[in-house]
Every structure is written in C-alpha cells, then in structure tokens.
Amino acid sequence: MARSVGGRVARVWLRWSRFGDVAALANATLALGPDAGALYDLGWAQTATGEPRKALVSYEHALRLFHEAADRQGEAVTLNNIGNVYKHLGERQRALTYYQQALPIIRAVGDRAAEAAALANIGNVEDDMRALGYFEQALAIQREIGDRGGEAATLNSIGHGYDVLGHQPQALTYYLNALPIRREVGDRAGEAITLNNIGHVHKGLGDQPQALTYYLGSLAIMCEIGDRTGEAVTRFNIAMLHRDEGNLDLAIAEMEIVVELDRQVEHPDLASDTAVLERMRETRAEAREAT
C-alpha cells in the first residue's frame, strides 16, 4: 500500500516540479525494499536536480526490475529517460540508441502519449531539419489525445529548432504558444526552460532589456525547484548579456556561480565555461591597467 500510494503521489509531485520531495519519498519507499517505480521516480528527480550519474544508476536498476517483471511499458519509459540523461551529458548518439530502443516497445503497448514523447526526444537529438519532422509527428499525437503538457514541450522544441535555424520570429511564436500551456499544467521546470528560450530570442533580436527580464524570470524558478543545471545555463546567458553591455564585474560574478554549478552537476561545458570566466578576468585586468 505504501508503495502504491507513494508512487501516485510522486507522479503528481513530478508534474509540479517538486523534485526534492519526490527524492525523499522515493528513498523512503526504497527503504522497504527494491521497487522499480520508486527507482524510476528517484532517477527523474536526480536528473532534474543535476545528479545525472546517480540518475543513471537509479534508472538502470529500475530497468532491470521492469524487465524481470515483464513490465514492457515501465521498461520503455525508463529507456526513454536514460536517453534523456545521456542527452544532458552531451552523448547524443548514445541517447538516440536508447530512444530508438524505447519507441517500438511503446508502440507495441499502445501508449500514445509515450510514443509522442519518444518521437519528440528523437527529434531533440536529430539534425535540425529532420528534427522538425519528428516534432510534428509528436505534436499531432499530443493534440489528438489531449496531452497538454506534452504539447507544450513539443511546441518549445519546435521553437528551439527554428531558433537554431536562424528563424527567430517563428521560434518566438512557438515559445509564446508553449508558455501559457506550461503554466496551465503547472510545469514549473518547463516554464523556466521556455522563459529562458524566449530570453535567448530577444537577445538575438537585439532587445537586451527584454531578454534580461525573461532570463531573470527563468532563474527564479530554476532556483525555486532546485534545477542546478538549468540555473547554470540561465546564469550563463545573463553573464553574456552583462559582458556584451560592458558590465564585466556583473558578468564575472555570474560566471563564477556558473562554473561552481557546472562542477556540482558534472556539466559537459565546465571546461569551456571556465575558459570564458578566465578570459573575462583577463579582459577586466587589462582594462584596469589601461586606466
């Protein structure tokens, strides 16, 4: 009974981005013995709070238990989430392997929402033009079944695809369509990502004040929900704004936090972010010497 109730509560909390609470609940459940669902929930919470290596351990354990129990749906969604972790770690080809393993299982069990999520995930690691095709397939399914949260995530991904291709107005349209849905369904983590992306578009369009407004909105949510990876990304964007405006002290202060967060979450950009910080410090020193 404890496991059953705990699992239902955890899924609600995951939708509300209460990742710390989910981790605590999952660990309490696991104190009773191995449980695939609790391990899956724990892996999700660990991913969201910047512990990808721990998440992989949790997911791999869950995957074995789901496989032993012949729980094909549990196996598929876990494969999908392992792919998400490898994507976060920058191992896109490895992520794609897991997504492609998950997709036929998901289709076999007839889970349309999970199928859409898997298609969208494949889109996230494919080349840009091919990615849009996967996103459109996912979006059609999500609208068909009324999956509002999935629809918002896919709209965000399509926006990102257009942003990468240099089509900022189209990107902004998709992001602005995604944002109210993410708020409607209470997806705080997704809301923060979309706010960050809108800020990025405004920066590209030359509207620095508007970009900063969206970045700060994103940052507040990232800090609230404990998403250290997202916090690092958003702080990096804020640092670049300050640097471009000549405010090196503010930029360096943000980058120092970024580098520390990178270390904590094993971010693949640690080396490059450290190099950016060092260049900023050198530029500031040179400017002070010149004056």
Side-chain angles (χ1 to χ4, degrees):
M1 184 180 295
R3 289 174 176 172
S4 176
V5 173
R8 289 197 294 271
V9 172
R11 298 307 159 84
V12 173
W13 284 353
L14 284 170
R15 289 198 298 273
W16 292 347
S17 303
R18 292 176 57 178
F19 302 119
D21 292 333
V22 170
L25 181 60
N27 280 316
T29 302
L30 290 168
L32 303 173
D35 182 86
L39 286 161
Y40 173 86
D41 295 338
L42 180 59
W44 190 335
Q46 289 167 329
T47 302
T49 54
E51 298 179 303
R53 299 296 178 185
K54 290 183 180 179
L56 284 175
V57 173
S58 298
Y59 280 142
E60 291 289 356
H61 193 178
L63 184 63
R64 288 195 299 273
L65 293 176
F66 281 132
H67 184 73
E68 289 168 5
D71 183 341
R72 297 285 280 164
Q73 185 164 13
E75 187 178 350
V77 295
T78 305
L79 286 166
N80 193 64
N81 283 13
I82 292 172
N84 289 341
V85 177
Y86 280 117
K87 176 180 174 289
H88 160 76
L89 291 170
E91 299 184 42
R92 298 172 72 87
Q93 192 57 47
R94 197 165 184 180
L96 183 59
T97 298
Y98 278 95
Y99 293 149
Q100 289 174 333
Q101 288 180 55
L103 186 57
I105 301 174
I106 290 168
R107 283 175 167 160
V109 300
D111 187 337
R112 296 284 279 163
E115 179 183 354
L119 287 166
N121 285 334
I122 292 172
N124 282 322
V125 294
E126 280 285 8
D127 294 333
D128 299 325
M129 291 308 298
R130 291 185 62 185
L132 289 175
Y134 282 103
F135 292 144
E136 292 294 349
Q137 290 180 62
L139 188 61
I141 295 172
Q142 287 156 345
R143 286 176 169 166
E144 172 193 330
I145 65 176
D147 179 3
R148 295 286 280 166
E151 178 183 351
T154 302
L155 287 168
N156 183 83
S157 294
I158 294 173
H160 179 71
Y162 278 117
D163 197 6
V164 169
L165 291 169
H167 302 312
Q168 276 76 31
Q170 291 95 322
L172 188 58
T173 296
Y174 278 98
Y175 289 147
L176 291 173
N177 285 336
L179 185 60
I181 303 175
R182 290 195 134 161
R183 287 172 170 161
E184 170 195 323
V185 300
D187 181 0
R188 297 287 280 161
E191 179 183 351
I193 291 169
T194 300
L195 286 168
N196 184 73
N197 289 346
I198 293 172
H200 181 72
V201 172
H202 281 296
K203 180 177 184 290
L205 294 172
D207 191 342
Q208 309 290 73
Q210 190 78 313
L212 183 59
T213 296
Y214 279 101
Y215 286 150
L216 291 174
S218 173
L219 181 61
I221 298 173
M222 296 289 189
C223 293
E224 172 194 327
I225 65 177
D227 181 354
R228 290 174 295 168
T229 301
E231 181 184 348
V233 171
T234 305
R235 286 189 183 277
F236 178 88
N237 291 339
I238 292 171
M240 295 303 101
L241 275 183
H242 290 318
R243 183 199 64 182
D244 294 347
E245 293 178 339
N247 298 322
L248 279 178
D249 287 341
L250 292 175
I252 289 169
E254 290 292 343
M255 283 304 302
E256 287 173 343
I257 299 173
V258 169
V259 169
E260 177 55 32
L261 288 167
D262 283 351
R263 289 195 184 99
Q264 293 175 16
V265 303
E266 303 178 52
H267 200 285
D269 290 340
L270 173 60
S272 61
D273 287 345
T274 302
V276 169
L277 174 59
E278 290 308 313
R279 285 197 297 271
M280 285 183 179
R281 286 171 171 165
E282 291 169 4
T283 301
R284 182 175 64 179
E286 291 168 359
R288 288 175 175 174
E289 287 177 5
T291 57

